[in-house]
């Protein structure tokens, strides 16, 4: 079970992620322990700020496939994986296992 911090994820999509990632602990606020993975809605937060805040934690960013500027910003910020929102829905478990295997 991984502890996954959600940054900028809206309530509706959080519910979808909770269903897709059953068995993992999803949080929306910082805890004293660092998360095993950070999932970021690139369209709602600053990619650089998230990357700076979690330099030692894998970061998975997602956005609408038409948000090319957001996708580029996340790549430039050094996110470990950047996907379209639809790809995250299809591959959520697989992506989490790749990025937080010990979680």
């Amino acid at each position: 079970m991984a502890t996954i911090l959600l940054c900028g994820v809206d309530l509706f999509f959080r519910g979808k992620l909770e269903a897709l990632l059953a068995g993992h602990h999803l949080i929306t606020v910082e805890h004293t322990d660092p998360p095993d993975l950070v999932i970021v809605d690139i369209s709602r937060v600053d990619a650089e700020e998230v990357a700076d805040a979690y330099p030692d934690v894998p970061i998975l960013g997602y956005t609408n496939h038409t948000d090319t500027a957001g996708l580029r910003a996340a790549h430039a910020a050094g996110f470990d994986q950047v996907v379209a929102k639809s790809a995250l829905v299809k591959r959520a478990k697989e992506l989490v296992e790749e990025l937080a295997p010990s979680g």
Side-chain angles (χ1 to χ4, degrees), residues 42-100:
I42 300 164
S43 68
R44 297 172 58 122
V45 297
D46 183 285
E48 284 289 334
E49 286 181 16
V50 175
D52 290 346
Y54 300 97
D56 300 323
V57 178
I59 301 174
L60 168 59
Y62 73 89
T63 190
N64 186 306
H65 70 281
T66 60
D67 182 11
T68 55
L71 294 167
R72 280 194 304 273
H75 280 292
F79 282 23
D80 296 273
Q81 186 85 14
V82 181
V83 297
K85 189 174 186 177
S86 59
L88 178 57
V89 170
K90 290 179 186 168
R91 301 180 48 223
K93 278 189 172 185
E94 175 187 337
L95 290 166
V96 168
E97 288 173 10
E98 285 176 21
L99 294 169

Side-chain angles (χ1 to χ4, degrees), residues 3-7 35-40 50 54 57-61:
T3 298
I4 302 170
L5 174 64
L6 305 178
C7 291
D36 300 307
L37 174 67
V38 179
I39 297 179
V40 182
V50 175
Y54 300 97
V57 178
I59 301 174
L60 168 59

